[in-house]
Amino acid sequence: MKRRDFLQTFFSLFVKGALLSTAGYMYAKYIEPRQLTVRRYEIVHPLIPKSFDGCRLLQFSDVHLGYHYTVDHFQRVVKRMNDLDPHLICFTGDLLDEPNKYEHVDAITSLLETLHAPLGKYCIYGNHDHGGYGTNIYKDMMENAGFRLLVNEWVRVRQGNEQIVIAGLDDFMLGQPNFAKTVQQLPKETYTIALIHEPDLVTQASVYPFHLQLSGHSHGGQIQLPWIGPLVTPPLAKQYVEGFYDVEQLTLYVNRGLGTTRMPFRFLTPPELTLFTLKAGS
């Protein structure tokens, strides 16, 4: 190859590589983080009562407001959640990225209050909710917005004479989680959903009478590559990253979350709302 031909080929490859890198950067920062997806699944179990057959449970997680995630952005997501018409709403932690530095607490509380779910709104702490001196900030926000904050406890959800249970564990990284306290006096033979921020705790949760564990924390890795998978996941989200897993008798679902943290990028891991429809099994 002549020197001139070599230089032309090298320059062409360099330009194409630069354009591809720029396009990938723009997509991962500005496009995919705003490509909200709604995943819909049926959950079938013999302990789900007939009166809960068709009940819609909406999970959202890991908003990280304040880190490249604005009030306007969240307002659009809240509208989408209400459009899905859920009976139950469960938030699995990490609302604000840095609670003690966030300036729009009242606006977000008002938006959360507009979420409508006739069978109740429930939430737990994530590590960011405790971090940044956020424990009481988060607690006040969620309770003022009509959410029941579950901290190592459970609550009955009733339809007529039938019920299911929603349990919530305190955050494992920065809270004071206590499985034994969480299941204390838990009614037997009752379908029980556990809200646990960090998914890798499923190995511990599987020895308790839970049937479905809903988690977040992983963000799906935020950046995944084909044939490789997530490049980085946080502690306690190393083994279970996104989607469904069966661990003993327990079904785990890991939500990819809505926001980002540390890096304002998403690639092959779009933000997610998850709508579960409960089905009474035989």
Side-chain angles (χ1 to χ4, degrees):
M1 180 181 294
K2 296 181 180 180
R3 176 182 173 85
R4 182 177 179 179
D5 292 338
F6 172 79
L7 290 175
Q8 286 179 336
T9 301
F10 176 81
F11 182 74
S12 175
L13 291 173
F14 175 81
V15 170
K16 290 177 182 178
L19 290 173
L20 185 62
S21 297
T22 301
Y25 173 88
M26 299 296 287
Y27 173 82
K29 185 171 183 179
Y30 297 109
I31 298 176
E32 186 166 304
R34 289 162 176 77
Q35 288 186 326
L36 180 65
T37 60
V38 179
R39 287 187 160 188
R40 303 168 190 261
Y41 301 103
E42 289 188 353
I43 302 293
V44 182
H45 196 278
L47 287 180
I48 294 176
K50 289 185 179 179
S51 62
F52 282 85
D53 190 272
C55 177
R56 294 182 297 278
L57 185 159
L58 175 66
Q59 180 195 9
F60 72 107
S61 195
D62 297 87
V63 187
H64 290 276
L65 282 151
Y67 185 80
H68 299 269
Y69 205 102
T70 66
V71 175
D72 289 343
H73 192 175
F74 189 57
Q75 185 175 21
R76 292 192 292 271
V77 173
V78 166
K79 182 182 183 303
R80 185 72 179 102
M81 287 193 271
N82 279 329
D83 288 345
L84 294 170
D85 195 24
H87 299 97
L88 287 159
I89 293 178
C90 293
F91 176 62
T92 43
D94 281 2
L95 180 65
L96 309 179
D97 200 63
E98 295 183 278
N100 63 326
K101 297 181 180 179
Y102 193 67
E103 299 177 350
H104 306 291
V105 166
D106 291 342
I108 296 302
T109 303
S110 296
L111 285 173
L112 289 168
E113 189 176 9
T114 66
L115 286 171
H116 179 67
L119 294 181
K121 303 185 292 189
Y122 306 91
C123 65
I124 55 171
Y125 281 107
N127 54 301
H128 279 259
D129 302 316
H130 277 308
Y133 303 97
T135 301
N136 290 329
I137 297 172
Y138 175 75
K139 179 178 184 293
D140 290 344
M141 290 179 70
M142 300 309 283
E143 290 182 348
N144 288 337
F147 278 75
R148 172 70 183 270
L149 177 59
L150 299 170
V151 185
N152 302 324
E153 58 188 316
W154 56 268
V155 63
R156 303 175 194 267
V157 180
R158 289 187 170 94
Q159 285 261 67
N161 295 324
E162 296 179 310
Q163 67 179 12
I164 62 174
V165 163
I166 297 181
L169 187 74
D170 198 4
D171 179 68
F172 195 83
M173 296 177 70
L174 297 178
Q176 296 180 324
N178 187 323
F179 275 106
K181 183 180 178 182
T182 303
V183 301
Q184 193 171 13
Q185 298 183 331
L186 192 71
K188 296 181 180 180
E189 298 301 310
T190 301
Y191 188 73
T192 300
I193 299 168
L195 309 181
I196 300 175
H197 184 63
E198 291 91 356
D200 286 0
L201 294 182
V202 68
T203 53
Q204 298 180 43
S206 65
V207 304
Y208 294 95
F210 303 133
H211 303 99
L212 174 65
Q213 175 180 325
L214 301 181
S215 296
H217 186 56
S218 70
H219 300 198
Q222 283 193 195
I223 298 174
Q224 294 194 27
L225 296 180
W227 306 291
I228 295 176
L231 296 183
V232 179
T233 55
L236 298 178
K238 300 293 186 184
Q239 190 170 358
Y240 305 99
V241 178
E242 65 170 314
F244 281 104
Y245 303 87
D246 290 317
V247 181
E248 303 298 335
Q249 89 293 341
L250 180 57
T251 297
L252 165 67
Y253 187 82
V254 186
N255 181 291
R256 292 192 302 257
L258 293 171
T260 60
T261 190
R262 299 185 184 275
M263 300 181 297
F265 304 108
R266 280 185 178 270
F267 188 74
L268 301 182
T269 56
E272 171 187 351
L273 297 173
T274 316
L275 190 68
F276 303 98
T277 301
L278 304 185
K279 292 290 183 179
S282 57

